[in-house]
Amino acid sequence: MLVLLPPSEGKAASGRGAPLKPESLSLPGLAPAREAVLGELVELCAGDEGKAREVLGLSEGLRGEVAKNAGLRTAGARPAGEVYTGVLYDALDLASLDPAAKRRAARSLLVFSGLWGAVRVTDRIPSYRCSMGVKLPGLGALGAFWRAPMAEVLPEAAGDGLVLDLRSSAYAAAWKPKGEVAGRTATVRVLHAPTRKVVSHFNKATKGRIVRSLLSSGSAPAGPAELVEALRDLGYEVEAEAPGKAGKPWSLDVLVAEVH
């Protein structure tokens, strides 16, 4: 099982340890693209602060993020699972998983990123600010920039099992499973059952809980149909829609009665 996650706007501070070693990151096929984005981001943020804030969409109150980006090559790094914070990651709570669940997380979780493309939760990275919606002057929109490198690397990373896609739309644009991989992909929405509306906060929190439940239970659904049954066994109310034709992902709605 491969679980595709969005990153978080909020990030923990960089660690005090060794700085980033790009060659140590998972998915080495993304290395040239990572270096291109990292180089331009560092150069942008080491120059005119006003321009950098405009490109990155940062308010005056977030000007410190520009200096942080400028120092990415020398900043301390820590596991990505510790860097990403926010509602989904609070609910997932990787640190409190038992050892077996942590090993499953290391194998199965892939976090998408405007800067790194995608990383495992065990990859050591510095804290940064660069969303997939950013348009860097030399590279253009990052969502479009990452499509070709991702298309080369991600099908192999997906292996031959279930792909559980929990990404937001901006990050989903960087790689859309196709063909046989798409047929074993499940996308998930979380809906407030009484209103059938998506509400951002509990949408993220419930996705974090879903991942935690799967990791903690040791469940290993082989495909989308098995995922539906596994989630129901774990106590989730799930409505599923199989694709109308081959090469399309399944759509799952998880219904939540309370907003929390």
Side-chain angles (χ1 to χ4, degrees):
M1 179 174 67
L2 183 69
V3 182
L4 311 180
L5 297 174
S8 58
E9 282 283 306
K11 298 176 183 69
S14 292
R16 295 177 177 270
L20 170 73
K21 295 180 179 178
E23 68 278 6
S24 72
L25 297 178
S26 302
L27 308 178
L30 297 178
R34 286 170 175 153
E35 179 56 37
V37 179
L38 177 63
E40 181 157 349
L41 182 63
V42 169
E43 182 178 0
L44 170 70
C45 291
D48 185 288
E49 181 194 282
K51 179 181 178 182
R53 285 202 293 111
E54 180 181 358
V55 170
L56 297 174
L58 300 176
S59 66
E60 173 70 22
L62 293 173
R63 61 189 304 171
E65 300 292 287
V66 175
K68 181 167 70 175
N69 281 349
L72 282 173
R73 293 192 186 276
T74 56
R78 61 197 299 183
E82 297 177 11
V83 171
Y84 294 114
T85 60
V87 176
L88 188 154
Y89 291 91
D90 285 347
L92 174 53
D93 195 8
L94 285 167
S96 70
L97 291 173
D98 65 50
K102 286 180 179 177
R103 289 192 293 271
R104 288 189 283 271
R107 292 193 303 267
S108 62
L109 304 188
L110 199 62
V111 184
F112 275 61
S113 163
L115 174 53
W116 313 115
V119 293
R120 302 283 186 184
V121 292
T122 51
D123 285 334
R124 297 181 63 85
I125 60 173
S127 182
Y128 67 95
R129 188 68 172 244
C130 184
S131 73
M132 194 66 82
V134 164
K135 295 182 179 180
L136 290 176
L139 299 178
L142 291 178
F145 171 81
W146 280 111
R147 284 175 197 153
M150 292 288 197
E152 291 290 325
V153 172
L154 266 294
E156 181 179 354
D160 57 4
L162 169 70
V163 178
L164 174 54
D165 190 352
L166 302 177
R167 297 172 295 167
S168 55
S169 58
Y171 291 89
W175 181 60
K176 295 184 178 180
K178 296 181 179 179
E180 183 269 335
V181 179
R184 48 187 166 84
T185 296
T187 62
V188 173
R189 296 189 307 172
V190 180
L191 303 181
H192 184 214
T195 64
R196 295 285 169 148
K197 292 182 179 179
V198 174
V199 181
S200 179
H201 178 89
F202 83 90
N203 172 54
K204 295 175 182 177
T206 303
K207 286 180 176 179
R209 293 187 191 107
I210 286 171
V211 177
R212 183 179 178 86
S213 296
L214 290 169
L215 294 173
S216 297
S217 68
S219 178
E226 293 82 1
L227 173 65
V228 173
E229 294 308 311
L231 291 177
R232 287 173 177 164
D233 288 345
L234 289 167
Y236 294 95
E237 184 179 353
V238 182
E239 294 179 352
E241 182 179 342
K245 58 182 179 179
K248 297 292 183 181
W250 284 54
S251 297
L252 274 59
D253 286 342
V254 176
L255 306 181
V256 181
E258 297 180 2
V259 179
H260 63 92

